[in-house]
Amino acid sequence: MGIISLEKLDHLYWLGRYTERVYTTLRNFFKIYDCLIESPEGAYRDYCERLNIPDIYTSNKQFVSSYLFEKENPDSLISNMNRAYDNAIVLREEISSTVLSYIQLALDTIEAGAGTTAPVFDLQPVLDYLLAFWGCADDYVEMEDCRNIMKCGKYVERLDLYIRLNYNMKDIEKEFNKLVHRIQKTHMCYNMEYLDRLTEMMNRRADWKTEYQEALCYLGGIIEVR
Amino acid sequence: MRELIDHTEGINRLLARYGVKFGLYKNGTFHEQLFPFDAIPRVISHEQFLYLEKGLIQRVNALNLFLEDIYGEKKIIKDGVVPEEFVFSSSGYLPECEGMTPPKKIHSHISGIDLVLGKDGEWYILEDNLRIPSGASYPMIAREICRQASPETFRNNPIVDNRNYAKMLKEVMAYVNTGGVPVIMTPGRYNAAYFEHSYLAERTDSELAMCTDLFVEDNYLYFRDYRGKKQQVGVIYRRISDEYLDPMTFLPESLIGVPGIMDVYRSGHVAIVNAPGNGVADDKGLYYFVPKMVKYYLGEEPVLKNAPTYLPFYEEDRKYVLDNLEKLVVKDVAEAGGYGVIFGNELSREKLAEMKHLIEKESRRFIAQEVIDFQDMNIMEGDEPVPRKADLRAFVLSGEETKVWASGLTRFSRNPDSFVVNSSQGGGFKDTWVLSR
């Protein structure tokens, strides 16, 4: 243990991204779900648009079941959790069985929740497991480089989602600073020009509503995994 | 013990949490399946273990000497103990390994020997697995969890701690290491035993590598990291079959091997665990000759018995097999994993005739054995204990010394009418306790 191959680097980075995707989208879903209780049909459309995922849903109810549990839906929570699992399962000796087990638990919980009538209630443990995963990673992932690469993935994904979902500037700035800090700690190749451009956008407090495409483009290209 | 059994569901839940699974391909699709655990252990007394230990060490030492001989001087053939037809026609015999001597002359570092306990109280060896025997990781992790589930059980019973397997494996790898990092090589996560590959890498502090991480340069094997730096590999515990190991030497179409690794191995610059070419010694046809190997190489009487076996290759045996097929079990020597095992008493008259014809036509392809009436072991089905067939895979590790792991994988059939215990055929597993006194 001690060597990170290019293949593993890729898995570490995407493990960070997918766990964060599940975590942040689920937290957002919980807010939307509450609105959907009384909202007219199609109330999820704005959310789909912001995330740039196709609106393939036919009703609020069908959105809930498909977006959360449908394995054939590539944008669903379970599909993203499966991708996190696919990346984690090949990293047992880097992240340890203990850390890996939280990914397994999160996946099992989502799988067990299919068909539930109370998704917020049943999926709450997923958030707990993912938080435990990150907490545990700090304690059990021995190689600092592994932790930093995973966290770079996590912060890139979080920023991406925060920008898309129009989070406030303070939150975005905070996550951006974390990302910069992490990138500098890794030995990964990164695109200095994109990082500078994003920094410039942060400094002039860019209007994310109109400039988010540009920001996402820079963000997506910062880390050069391959 | 009752407390432990009451926790069966919880133990299985934790095994699921830790991803204790095996992969299966069904209709061309990969599925991951949990390996059901039954908490009633197989218990091996101290005296029984000493007996097994003696016999297993003897057997594995003889098999290692056979491999060294067969790829070298071939004295055993010249002396007429093993017919050459059985060696050179074996699919496990690799001419490419001729004249090669592995580091420290160890060919089978990890041997998985399958045994059953007959109703006559005698242990019988069913087969030797000297290529890439799997299964040690399951009782390793199960024991860890069982101890958490019922500490009282382990406090009150003199059970040898089996959690030293990783340490034993690490010692073996270190002993044959030619200078460099230890690596466990996996074909990838869609391999049936991927859990084991990754778990053993974690427990032995080895690098888990795929072929793309490894390369040969100037006749040395290296692991490349993401920054482009290379580290020499001194020992590689490969979990891929011989034929895929090196496309330059074996199957040219292999995409999961490392081009040139056999040249590095030939030069003594890396140890391959287990050595390539071992398949010749665990060939089902050669199994018949293992007791003879023990006598030939060690000058000792074999401690452990083979199941009574017949080789249709020999006329006398063929006649017996054809006359008694309905009470024998026939094994296709080319198959593994519980496949190619045919019980004569389950065949219709028509199928029996077909089988006889096939045996006459391809006598080297089959062996026949008496069906051993082996002892049933209880497993829990709901709240009820029910008897099922079970075998034991003992793990023998050969490094500076040959040692038997004081545990093993006990696999059982979940089907009451079946003797086939393989996980790929729906079986489960138990912990194996060896008592310290």
Side-chain angles (χ1 to χ4, degrees):
Chain A
M1 206 157 58
I3 311 174
I4 305 172
S5 66
L6 198 58
E7 189 93 15
K8 293 283 171 79
L9 167 80
D10 190 47
H11 288 301
L12 286 162
Y13 175 73
W14 284 101
L15 171 61
R17 287 203 69 160
Y18 282 117
T19 46
E20 179 58 26
R21 191 172 299 178
V22 172
Y23 179 75
T24 297
T25 53
L26 188 57
R27 278 180 61 209
N28 274 278
F29 174 83
F30 285 179
K31 290 181 202 160
I32 293 160
Y33 184 75
D34 186 70
C35 301
L36 290 177
I37 295 173
E38 290 111 353
S39 295
E41 287 296 339
Y44 52 83
R45 281 190 195 120
D46 179 50
Y47 178 74
C48 293
E49 207 172 304
R50 279 166 181 262
L51 286 182
N52 196 25
I53 59 175
D55 174 11
I56 53 166
Y57 312 102
T58 53
S59 66
N60 288 358
K61 195 176 165 193
Q62 198 259 340
F63 166 73
V64 170
S65 74
S66 173
Y67 181 66
L68 293 179
F69 302 114
E70 200 177 306
K71 287 181 180 168
E72 289 71 33
N73 177 356
D75 300 310
S76 68
L77 188 78
I78 195 159
S79 293
N80 284 313
M81 194 64 230
N82 266 315
R83 289 182 198 118
Y85 173 81
D86 284 343
N87 283 287
I89 195 72
V90 294
L91 294 167
R92 185 186 293 271
E93 83 282 13
E94 279 82 13
I95 65 174
S96 82
S97 289
T98 309
V99 175
L100 175 59
S101 74
Y102 288 103
I103 297 291
Q104 182 76 58
L105 286 168
L107 179 62
D108 291 348
T109 306
I110 300 175
E111 281 181 344
T116 179
T117 52
V120 174
F121 182 83
D122 288 340
L123 294 180
Q124 179 61 45
V126 174
L127 295 182
D128 301 342
Y129 291 139
L130 293 179
L131 286 172
F133 163 79
W134 283 108
C136 208
D138 272 334
D139 268 353
Y140 287 84
V141 178
E142 285 178 19
M143 291 169 70
E144 195 187 353
D145 234 11
C146 284
R147 294 197 300 272
N148 288 332
I149 296 164
M150 282 161 66
K151 285 183 181 175
C152 279
K154 173 180 169 174
Y155 295 129
V156 165
E157 186 67 26
R158 185 174 286 179
L159 267 173
D160 179 293
L161 291 167
Y162 279 18
I163 291 170
R164 287 176 195 274
L165 295 167
N166 206 18
Y167 271 57
N168 67 48
M169 191 64 192
K170 200 175 144 201
D171 288 332
I172 291 174
E173 255 180 354
K174 191 171 86 183
E175 299 306 325
F176 181 71
N177 290 335
K178 286 185 195 169
L179 174 63
V180 173
H181 173 70
R182 281 294 156 189
I183 285 181
Q184 286 164 351
K185 282 178 118 180
T186 71
H187 298 91
M188 287 191 294
C189 297
Y190 63 95
N191 190 317
M192 188 84 90
E193 187 195 337
Y194 285 3
L195 193 63
D196 288 345
R197 291 204 179 191
L198 271 175
T199 309
E200 183 269 323
M201 290 177 94
M202 294 288 163
N203 290 341
R204 68 176 164 82
R205 304 202 151 253
D207 177 3
W208 299 117
K209 274 191 180 167
T210 56
E211 295 182 77
Y212 82 96
Q213 292 281 19
E214 193 186 345
L216 292 177
C217 171
Y218 297 143
L219 188 60
I222 282 186
I223 309 280
E224 292 164 348
V225 174
R226 288 284 174 187
Chain B
M1 174 92 97
R2 185 69 236 177
E3 188 191 33
L4 179 67
I5 295 164
D6 288 345
H7 279 105
T8 301
E9 200 184 318
I11 296 167
N12 274 294
R13 201 166 48 237
L14 277 178
L15 288 169
R17 171 185 176 141
Y18 289 113
V20 183
K21 299 173 187 174
F22 62 94
L24 265 184
Y25 282 90
K26 269 185 196 161
N27 306 321
T29 316
F30 178 78
H31 298 272
E32 278 183 329
Q33 234 167 275
L34 294 170
F35 196 6
F37 175 73
D38 183 78
I40 305 174
R42 176 195 284 283
V43 181
I44 299 176
S45 69
H46 181 63
E47 293 72 27
Q48 245 182 345
F49 182 70
L50 291 178
Y51 164 76
L52 283 174
E53 191 178 38
K54 192 176 170 198
L56 289 164
I57 289 173
Q58 180 193 57
R59 190 170 177 105
V60 168
N61 283 342
L63 285 163
N64 261 312
L65 288 168
F66 170 73
L67 283 161
E68 183 63 14
D69 184 23
I70 223 66
Y71 287 111
E73 293 183 66
K74 300 173 187 52
K75 283 189 203 159
I76 200 164
I77 296 176
K78 289 173 194 157
D79 290 339
V81 180
V82 175
E84 63 180 352
E85 295 89 329
F86 275 85
V87 175
F88 302 122
S89 66
S90 162
S91 59
Y93 167 74
L94 301 180
E96 295 86 351
C97 295
E98 271 300 331
M100 281 194 202
T101 296
K104 306 274 172 41
K105 291 190 178 179
I106 301 168
H107 290 258
S108 187
H109 311 79
I110 303 145
S111 310
I113 312 293
D114 292 347
L115 307 108
V116 290
L117 184 58
K119 281 192 175 155
D120 55 3
E122 192 83 55
W123 285 96
Y124 292 95
I125 292 184
L126 287 188
E127 61 183 42
D128 306 291
N129 297 279
L130 310 182
R131 284 173 272 191
I132 36 176
S134 64
S137 58
Y138 299 107
M140 269 168 86
I141 193 166
R143 177 70 62 85
E144 187 84 45
I145 296 170
C146 286
R147 287 171 64 92
Q148 294 161 13
S150 176
E152 279 299 302
T153 304
F154 291 88
R155 194 173 295 131
N156 297 334
N157 292 287
I159 304 157
V160 178
D161 196 342
N162 74 349
R163 292 172 299 166
N164 60 343
Y165 183 81
K167 187 171 168 272
M168 289 171 73
L169 178 58
K170 215 172 155 175
E171 280 170 5
V172 166
M173 289 173 75
Y175 181 66
V176 295
N177 194 326
T178 59
V181 295
V183 161
I184 294 182
M185 184 190 182
T186 174
R189 70 158 289 208
Y190 296 108
N191 181 271
Y194 184 75
F195 161 74
E196 175 151 303
H197 307 169
S198 61
Y199 188 68
L200 290 179
E202 182 191 16
R203 296 290 145 156
T204 59
D205 297 325
S206 301
E207 305 297 335
L208 184 67
M210 288 182 55
C211 62
T212 46
D213 303 325
L214 301 169
F215 68 100
V216 169
E217 194 178 275
D218 297 332
N219 217 16
Y220 284 90
L221 180 67
Y222 293 99
F223 190 115
R224 183 183 0 235
D225 80 2
Y226 77 95
R227 286 178 273 180
K229 283 188 182 170
K230 58 183 188 183
Q231 289 218 40
Q232 193 186 322
V233 177
V235 54
I236 181 166
Y237 177 17
R238 50 66 187 246
R239 299 294 301 244
I240 69 172
S241 304
D242 288 350
E243 59 269 37
Y244 298 108
L245 196 55
D246 183 350
M248 311 287 278
T249 302
F250 303 116
L251 289 177
E253 64 269 31
S254 170
L255 298 175
I256 54 172
V258 182
I261 192 174
M262 284 300 285
D263 289 335
V264 181
Y265 172 64
R266 195 176 287 113
S267 309
H269 295 166
V270 72
I272 300 181
V273 172
N274 283 346
N278 282 7
V280 66
D282 71 10
D283 180 291
K284 289 188 173 74
L286 261 302
Y287 159 90
Y288 175 88
F289 298 98
V290 179
K292 293 177 194 289
M293 291 176 199
V294 171
K295 284 185 200 162
Y296 181 76
Y297 291 114
L298 305 175
E300 297 170 9
E301 280 303 312
V303 175
L304 291 166
K305 288 182 180 165
N306 271 7
T309 304
Y310 307 95
L311 294 184
F313 175 81
Y314 292 126
E315 198 182 335
E316 193 185 338
D317 281 15
R318 185 164 64 245
K319 188 173 177 316
Y320 178 83
V321 171
L322 296 175
D323 289 347
N324 296 280
L325 192 58
E326 57 283 358
K327 63 171 193 162
L328 298 173
V329 52
V330 177
K331 294 179 178 175
D332 186 330
V333 298
E335 298 279 1
Y339 295 97
V341 178
I342 299 150
F343 286 85
N345 62 2
E346 290 174 2
L347 296 178
S348 64
R349 273 176 65 178
E350 205 176 53
K351 291 279 177 200
L352 212 54
E354 270 177 35
M355 194 68 228
K356 284 181 181 177
H357 179 66
L358 205 57
I359 289 170
E360 279 184 302
K361 207 171 125 196
E362 297 179 56
S363 60
R364 168 68 181 87
R365 191 179 144 188
F366 300 98
I367 62 165
Q369 291 175 328
E370 300 289 351
V371 178
I372 294 184
D373 197 6
F374 52 97
Q375 289 184 13
D376 289 326
M377 292 195 67
N378 277 346
I379 68 163
M380 294 303 286
E381 224 175 55
D383 291 332
E384 290 296 313
V386 292
R388 291 289 183 271
K389 296 295 176 209
D391 77 350
L392 169 67
R393 173 166 290 180
F395 289 89
V396 184
L397 278 78
S398 304
E400 196 167 5
E401 288 172 67
T402 304
K403 293 178 184 173
V404 180
W405 182 37
S407 186
L409 175 68
T410 294
R411 298 173 298 179
F412 60 86
S413 167
R414 286 197 291 167
N415 177 350
D417 304 317
S418 177
F419 281 74
V420 181
V421 297
N422 301 66
S423 53
S424 53
Q425 311 259 336
F429 79 106
K430 288 171 173 288
D431 192 2
T432 305
W433 293 358
V434 170
L435 301 184
S436 60
R437 56 172 191 269

